[in-house]
Amino acid sequence: MEICFATNNKNKLHEVKALLGNEFHILSLAEIGCHEELPETTGTIAGNSRQKAEYVFSRYGITCFADDSGLQVNALQGAPGVDSAFYAGPQKNDQDNVALLLRNMQHVADRSANFITIITLVKGTNDVSQFEGILNGEITRQTCGTNGFGYDPVFRPAGLSINLAEMSREEKNKISHRAKAVEKLVRFLIGHQTNQ
Ligand code: IMP
């Protein structure tokens, strides 16, 4: 079965292909001939995830899934949330985003936060399923570690004494919000395949 993963991010493609095995042929956006920017204008993570998957399905007629993620800080009413990539501005710079977050939380005692990923699978016009993955933790006062990307240097998963940026990619992939959402998607796809 051919399914498009609405991304051109090679790391994400690799991770999902490894989890799905050979029963599903996962195609990137480039492989289905989609070279345009996907719309992300709904203002929510769940909405943008769905918008991207529906865009590809409606134009390319292929079963498709898309993901959208973000960091939600409780004391900041869920910010940066859907704006995580652009928190400090349109330059989409990880270091600027982390610096702004630490500045905005300088006097904040409640450091609790979570990463969330929503994956939307679109198999038909009214056949839409969503899968959520959450990683709870807290924002540290200083950066620790150099691995990963985004807010990894200031995010400490609940129950651990190191930040995401101090973990190997394999360690992070075992607990990450993205991995949890992907696992749910994979379980759904494999279950559905067996039922057919
Ligand atoms: P995306 O939807 O996966 O592209 O994620 C949007 C933004 O959320 C990224 O540009 C990062 O700023 C942030 N983000 C999402 N996942 C992670 C993560 O695993 N670690 C650190 N930052 C992340």
Side-chain angles (χ1 to χ4, degrees):
M1 181 183 183
E2 287 199 329
I3 305 180
C4 174
F5 181 8
T7 187
N8 281 317
N9 180 317
K10 291 204 167 67
N11 291 326
K12 289 184 182 177
L13 268 173
H14 185 74
E15 186 183 337
V16 171
K17 278 183 180 175
L19 283 164
L20 272 171
N22 294 330
E23 292 184 36
F24 300 90
H25 187 194
I26 303 296
L27 301 167
S28 68
L29 287 171
E31 286 171 314
I32 63 163
C34 173
H35 301 288
E36 65 265 31
E37 279 273 304
L38 302 185
E40 294 187 75
T41 56
T42 70
T44 66
I45 290 171
N48 283 356
S49 167
R50 178 171 181 155
Q51 188 181 26
K52 289 185 279 188
E54 286 186 326
Y55 178 93
V56 171
F57 180 81
S58 66
R59 280 170 183 72
Y60 296 86
I62 181 170
T63 293
C64 173
F65 62 91
D67 71 331
D68 208 64
S69 307
L71 173 70
Q72 306 183 126
V73 177
N74 292 326
L76 301 178
Q77 288 75 48
V82 70
D83 297 321
S84 291
F86 311 95
Y87 192 40
Q91 70 275 19
K92 250 183 152 183
N93 181 282
D94 286 346
Q95 279 179 341
D96 293 350
N97 290 338
V98 166
L100 179 62
L101 180 68
L102 289 181
R103 236 182 2 260
N104 288 344
M105 294 186 71
Q106 216 169 343
H107 305 293
V108 171
D110 174 10
R111 315 288 300 181
S112 63
N114 65 70
F115 275 118
I116 182 168
T117 294
I118 307 271
I119 292 178
T120 306
L121 172 71
V122 178
K123 294 164 69 201
T125 310
N126 290 312
D127 191 348
V128 179
S129 312
Q130 290 197 307
F131 308 92
E132 180 186 86
I134 289 190
L135 175 63
N136 288 310
E138 60 179 35
I139 305 300
T140 52
R141 290 194 174 270
Q142 280 158 2
T143 60
C144 297
T146 53
N147 298 336
F149 69 100
Y151 300 89
D152 284 350
V154 288
F155 189 89
R156 181 159 297 190
L160 297 187
S161 52
I162 54 171
N163 288 6
L164 283 179
E166 297 175 274
M167 301 172 79
S168 68
R169 190 201 299 211
E170 291 72 28
E171 285 173 323
K172 181 182 168 187
N173 281 347
K174 280 187 200 147
I175 61 163
S176 82
H177 45 303
R178 210 172 344 271
K180 288 176 186 166
V182 167
E183 266 166 39
K184 288 183 187 171
L185 168 76
V186 167
R187 243 179 277 140
F188 180 90
L189 284 172
I190 289 174
H192 188 83
Q193 175 97 328
T194 329
N195 292 339
Q196 277 181 342

